[in-house]
Amino acid sequence: MKSSVVSVLAIVGLLPASDHALAASWSQFRANSRLTGVTSDAPASTLTLRWTYEAGGGIQSSAAIVDGVVYVGSLTGELLAIDLERGTLRWKYTTAEGGSIGESSPAVGGDAVFVGDLTGTVHAVNIRDGRRLWTFKTDGEVKSSPTLVDNLVLIGSYDTHLYALDRSTGKLRWKLETDEPVHATPAVQNGVIYIAGCDEHFRAVRLTDGKTLFDIPLHAYTGASTLVDGDRAYVGTFGAEVVAIDLPGRKIVWRYHDSADDFPYYSSAALDAGRVIVGGRDKAIHAIHATSGKEAWKFVTRGRIDSSPAIAGGRVYVGSSDGKLYVLDAATGQKRWEVDAGSAMTASPAIAAGRIVIGAQDGRIYCFG
């Protein structure tokens, strides 16, 4: 265990399991199908390391937390189900052909958990025992995370397609071809899928049949997933911009560019109290006024930020490649807490039942609360 984390344990001890209810969930990447990255289930203001789990391989996948169980993938090709309170393994599922699980993050719905791997396979796994339910093979890496809506599994592949699969059977319902790999996770609101792509386009796609409703050129490669809130969508690009899109008007209404730096945005944004909050490869976390596109505040770390921020109780939780998990005041950007894990955190935090779970590149999974 890293010395910096050992020091935390030396001060506060590894706390025993509490008896608080485990009802709240973070069921997929960015918490929900609109990819807001926000939950009302705020952790305690003073955080303690509850447990760590050694996965044996790097963690790029962000966790899902449902009914007291943490689901997370690793580069060893294992999907892990870990008890949220105790940090003990309930089961592990090994992907076919040993395919590594990269950035694809599990989504949980009904009796199944879904995830993609770098061989291009989408997996459905029984949440009770880790038994394989079905698999679907694409022709490229799957780094996109699944979104579950209306008995569909929506997921992108590096074979240039966005797929809609039947959640129960894994059968193909429809697929949409784009001009480049589909890296991002699809956001869904009111029967419409919103996704920005590696082909520099932002698309609105009808959920029922995969028909493109409209297409807006972004003029920049986009790896981040889109946040949707009412009539607006927000996404960062490799053109060093965060853009706000008027969905009814089908147009970009503002572009944010930090004049101090010219680095890409890989992190997916969250929205809190009228502020769009996102990490950049300029090593900074940016808060942008949602109405105007003007900077609200900026907090600088020592490493690039590919981790997507999670927000709860007026605080921002985000990992950095400098090996730290940061907690910031969402209104001011003032640092409230940090912990040094000693290894880059490119995965995104998941928050549920008063706990924060995040994995690191050295294969260690952390739970704070």
Side-chain angles (χ1 to χ4, degrees), residues 29-49:
F29 181 61
R30 313 305 294 132
N32 52 61
S33 61
R34 292 190 298 115
L35 310 187
T36 63
V38 177
T39 178
S40 60
D41 184 23
S45 56
T46 301
L47 295 177
T48 301
L49 180 64

